[in-house]
Amino acid sequence: MNLKELYQEIILEHGKNPKNLGKTENFNKDAKGNNPLCGDNVHVYLKLNDKKIIEDISFEGSGCAISMASASIMTDLVKGKNLTIAKEIIEDFLGMIKEKEELNTKNLNDDEKTKLMCLSGVKQYPMRVKCATLSWHTLVSAFENKKTEVNTEN
Amino acid sequence: MNISQIKKEFPIFDEKIHNNDLVYLDSANSSQKPIAVIDRINDFYSKQFSNVGRSVHYLSVAATNLYENTRISVQKYINAKDKNEIVFTKGATEALNLVANTLGQKYLQEGDEILITELEHHSNYVPWHFLRKSKNIKINFAEINEDGDVPLENIEKALTPRTKVIAITHLSNVTGAILPIKEITDLAHSKGIIVVIDGCQSAPHLKLDMQDLDCDFYAISCHKMYGPTGLGILYGKKKWLDELPPYQGGGGMIKEVKKDRISYGDLPNKYEAGTMATAQVIAFDQSIKFLENIGIDKIMLHEKELIEYGQELLRKNNSVKLIGNPKNKGGVLSFIVEGIHPHDIATILDEDGIAIRAGHHCCQILHDKLGIAASARASVGIYNTKDDFDKLNNSINNCKKIFNLK
Ligand SMILES: Cc1ncc(COP(=O)(O)O)c(C=O)c1O
């Protein structure tokens, strides 16, 4: 186990000053997520335009450094991307956080990959994986405009 | 009292956690188990096992006697008038569900009101909520004051002419507040109100005297009392347990079963349907012996000293904010650290072998009231020492370092 790997500077920075925090104006899709064991919660808002591009995205919520940083990095990375690519990134991330060593996606530049990879430290902390994945599952749910809350326990 | 000697009775402390000695500060969640309790379970299964109350063979009779012995030990330990006032359940949660359910079946009417407090654990709220749904019963909340305490006045203020039940915690599992149960019971009884106590946090740490407290029901969680999991106790005044209907139906709780009618058994069988947690009940006798051997007065003194020490230490730590400052406080220290989420604290502390709890501790109403989503909680047991709090404090400082806080 390695706390330094879990709490890297990038995570702490994103955790403290999350990007895209708030409520997107004129959002047309949103969803809520909740981690009942921890009490973490997140609400993802996005504006998907006619060309299926995520024009804007934001989130509201509260939680630990890992969940806040994860939501911040996620919104940062998918903003401006088209839906198909965003879904690919999500799948890649969720795979990486569970088992894979590396990211496969060709849709992120090295800088973006580094940002995402710094969340991989959470792999060694099974109880904390949910903190990292909550916002991502919620984003998937927002694409579908699901009204039921994402619940990490189900 | 020699704590290091007592600690040796708990084999868990021989284990290393991430290569560190275990600092267990999560006893409010569940206590560790002394060797006598662990051995008793093993012995019972190895040498004495049989189901209780069903057969006439040697082992069954012996097991039944052992099982009933624990009932008598519990009766004495909590000074109940009658051994039949002790009902074994699967936990305090089931005990509270039993009370809410059976009062709902027979005693409560639509429009009646239940008074609970903002301190309650979900186990002492959700069962009443079921009645809110099924019987249109109203739930009122006695408010906490700024110390995280519920003084008698706040209970009095929240009573209405329709209040039929007061269901409250004896000792808050978040703020540590010890409520004035005796005074609350006096007040309630003068108005014909039933008193149900969630005694989960008090039972391992305070002197229990049911006849003195005079409450109508008292729920206990054995796994927090140096006992096995899967076991709780409901104390109920005999007049209530006689009068109320059974909770679960099945074997063991009946007198006579015919195609057209069923009559129910007498106490205590009436509330103990099915095969019970036999080994746990029998082993729990050892937990009571363990507590009695040390003596509750000494336990209370030791834990009071500890919590005062811990409180002082954390108070001096400038980023730590303690939650609640009740006049009468039990062995629970909840806190937040400015700029670090409780889950991050718990993960970092764990690396040092320190076990605390982070979250809302099944008290969402209270955390909402306090305006926080979660808190960190250090809680003590008989095996803790001041050194454990020193380690806690150092580890909190390490959290601050990792998070680049002053
Ligand atoms: C105050 C309080 N009430 C009720 C419970 C539930 O007890 P049990 O685990 O025995 O069902 C707990 C323990 O989590 C508690 O702390």
Side-chain angles (χ1 to χ4, degrees):
Chain A
M1 303 241 188
N2 191 343
L3 285 174
K4 290 258 150 43
E5 233 171 79
L6 183 61
Y7 294 108
Q8 295 178 33
E9 281 306 320
I10 309 185
I11 303 251
L12 294 178
E13 192 42 44
H14 276 271
K16 200 152 91 189
N17 304 307
K19 303 233 168 98
N20 308 307
L21 191 64
K23 192 168 175 177
T24 306
E25 266 180 47
N26 308 321
F27 68 91
N28 52 16
K29 289 185 183 295
D30 74 309
K32 284 186 191 171
N34 168 31
N35 180 344
L37 284 186
C38 304
D40 292 352
N41 61 77
V42 64
H43 194 156
V44 174
Y45 304 91
L46 60 117
K47 195 169 157 195
L48 196 67
N49 69 17
D50 299 343
K51 296 189 188 97
K52 298 267 184 229
I53 287 175
I54 301 170
E55 224 175 84
D56 202 358
I57 178 165
S58 70
F59 76 99
E60 288 177 329
S62 71
C64 61
I66 309 293
S67 73
M68 288 291 105
S70 186
S72 170
I73 291 169
M74 172 190 83
T75 49
D76 216 20
L77 292 188
V78 302
K79 198 192 256 181
K81 303 229 165 31
N82 88 36
L83 189 59
T84 317
I85 290 177
K87 282 182 175 168
E88 233 179 79
I89 296 171
I90 295 171
E91 203 173 310
D92 204 25
F93 171 77
L94 291 176
M96 185 270 288
I97 221 79
K98 285 195 188 105
E99 66 251 359
K100 286 189 295 148
E101 281 303 311
E102 292 296 328
L103 293 163
N104 298 329
T105 179
K106 296 187 180 65
N107 299 303
L108 293 173
N109 62 34
D110 285 350
D111 206 33
E112 291 172 323
K113 275 191 183 168
T114 311
K115 263 191 208 162
L116 206 46
M117 280 306 287
C118 73
L119 283 162
S120 67
V122 77
K123 255 192 270 193
Q124 294 174 52
Y125 298 83
M127 292 299 290
R128 307 300 302 276
V129 166
K130 285 177 203 156
C131 306
T133 57
L134 176 65
S135 55
W136 296 76
H137 288 301
T138 308
L139 176 58
V140 174
S141 171
F143 289 152
E144 293 156 20
N145 232 347
K146 275 201 187 145
K147 288 294 155 245
T148 47
E149 221 174 67
V150 172
N151 184 324
T152 50
E153 293 315 294
N154 298 331
Chain B
M1 191 169 40
N2 188 340
I3 296 300
S4 64
Q5 210 55 41
I6 291 174
K7 202 166 169 172
K8 285 206 186 98
E9 294 186 41
F10 291 79
I12 193 99
F13 292 108
D14 297 338
E15 299 298 309
K16 294 282 176 213
I17 309 294
H18 310 307
N19 296 320
N20 287 299
D21 287 340
L22 168 63
V23 174
Y24 191 73
L25 288 168
D26 199 18
S27 294
N29 188 352
S30 198
S31 68
Q32 293 298 343
K33 318 304 172 200
I35 188 73
V37 173
I38 301 167
D39 282 349
R40 192 67 193 90
I41 289 181
N42 190 8
D43 263 10
F44 174 65
Y45 277 129
S46 318
K47 299 175 190 155
Q48 300 172 303
F49 180 76
S50 171
N51 207 342
V52 303
R54 305 245 167 127
S55 314
V56 295
H57 61 74
Y58 174 82
L59 285 175
S60 177
V61 173
T64 306
N65 288 340
L66 290 168
Y67 183 90
E68 290 304 321
N69 270 348
T70 303
R71 198 188 306 280
I72 292 167
S73 300
V74 173
Q75 179 210 343
K76 287 190 184 139
Y77 191 73
I78 69 173
N79 194 27
K81 209 185 242 162
D82 190 314
K83 74 177 172 62
N84 288 333
E85 294 181 322
I86 310 301
V87 177
F88 292 115
T89 62
K90 85 167 170 71
T93 300
E94 190 179 55
L96 292 165
N97 274 277
L98 187 162
V99 177
N101 177 286
T102 55
L103 283 174
Q105 283 186 59
K106 185 137 173 199
Y107 182 78
L108 296 167
Q109 309 294 329
E110 187 168 327
D112 282 348
E113 298 181 8
I114 314 269
L115 179 65
I116 69 173
T117 77
E118 291 175 337
L119 292 174
E120 296 319 307
H121 189 279
H122 296 161
S123 293
N124 195 25
Y125 175 30
V126 184
W128 305 107
H129 168 76
F130 288 168
L131 297 182
R132 179 158 70 183
K133 287 280 166 201
S134 65
K135 290 206 77 158
N136 234 336
I137 274 162
K138 190 169 171 230
I139 300 175
N140 299 315
F141 292 85
E143 290 192 34
I144 54 164
N145 63 17
E146 65 272 21
D147 292 331
D149 208 344
V150 182
L152 186 64
E153 310 89 85
N154 289 19
I155 300 276
E156 198 161 10
K157 256 193 306 209
L159 293 175
T160 77
R162 296 224 62 174
T163 307
K164 289 284 159 59
V165 176
I166 298 179
I168 46 171
T169 187
H170 194 165
L171 198 169
S172 162
N173 62 322
V174 179
T175 69
I178 299 173
L179 271 54
I181 300 302
K182 210 174 143 156
E183 287 75 12
I184 292 170
T185 306
D186 280 348
L187 171 70
H189 285 171
S190 75
K191 295 173 188 290
I193 298 169
I194 295 177
V195 179
V196 181
I197 307 296
D198 176 349
C200 279
Q201 297 298 334
S202 40
H205 308 290
L206 302 181
K207 196 179 174 78
L208 298 181
D209 186 334
M210 291 304 121
Q211 295 185 63
D212 182 52
L213 285 181
D214 199 34
C215 56
D216 298 280
F217 297 96
Y218 199 96
I220 292 173
S221 175
C222 297
H223 69 85
K224 297 181 203 279
M225 240 177 132
Y226 311 105
T229 53
L231 186 64
I233 289 161
L234 174 66
Y235 160 83
K237 274 191 182 157
K238 190 154 180 302
K239 66 164 184 189
W240 286 116
L241 295 179
D242 275 333
E243 186 182 326
L244 292 172
Y247 174 50
Q248 290 180 338
M253 54 73 72
I254 45 79
K255 192 172 273 163
E256 205 181 27
V257 177
K258 300 288 173 197
K259 278 195 171 158
D260 59 348
R261 78 198 124 85
I262 294 172
S263 58
Y264 307 126
D266 295 327
L267 294 175
N269 300 344
K270 177 178 170 186
Y271 290 103
E272 294 181 1
T275 297
M276 300 292 289
T278 317
Q280 290 92 320
V281 169
I282 289 169
F284 188 61
D285 205 35
Q286 295 299 319
S287 312
I288 293 181
K289 284 209 174 80
F290 170 79
L291 287 164
E292 281 174 342
N293 283 343
I294 301 170
I296 191 68
D297 292 333
K298 283 190 184 150
I299 295 175
M300 284 165 66
L301 200 66
H302 171 64
E303 293 178 350
K304 190 169 159 41
E305 247 178 62
L306 270 183
I307 218 68
E308 278 168 5
Y309 180 81
Q311 213 168 353
E312 267 316 293
L313 199 62
L314 293 191
R315 245 194 217 119
K316 282 191 219 132
N317 193 326
N318 56 19
S319 340
V320 176
K321 194 169 160 279
L322 292 171
I323 294 172
N325 185 27
K327 263 200 260 357
N328 260 323
K329 188 174 169 72
V332 179
L333 268 188
S334 296
F335 59 92
I336 50 177
V337 178
E338 225 68 67
I340 315 179
H341 192 277
H343 287 122
D344 296 314
I345 296 170
T347 295
I348 298 171
L349 263 53
D350 179 57
E351 207 80 346
D352 291 334
I354 303 174
I356 63 155
R357 182 151 175 205
H360 52 53
H361 322 301
C362 302
C363 291
Q364 245 181 310
I365 301 285
L366 178 61
H367 280 79
D368 283 350
K369 172 86 176 212
L370 297 170
I372 50 179
S375 59
R377 180 185 72 187
S379 55
V380 303
I382 184 65
Y383 29 63
N384 290 114
T385 58
K386 290 180 181 170
D387 186 47
D388 292 340
F389 278 106
D390 291 334
K391 286 181 176 158
L392 172 74
N393 196 43
N394 289 341
S395 204
I396 291 174
N397 288 336
N398 184 36
C399 295
K400 295 199 285 190
K401 207 148 74 198
I402 289 176
F403 272 71
N404 305 319
L405 299 172
K406 290 269 147 44

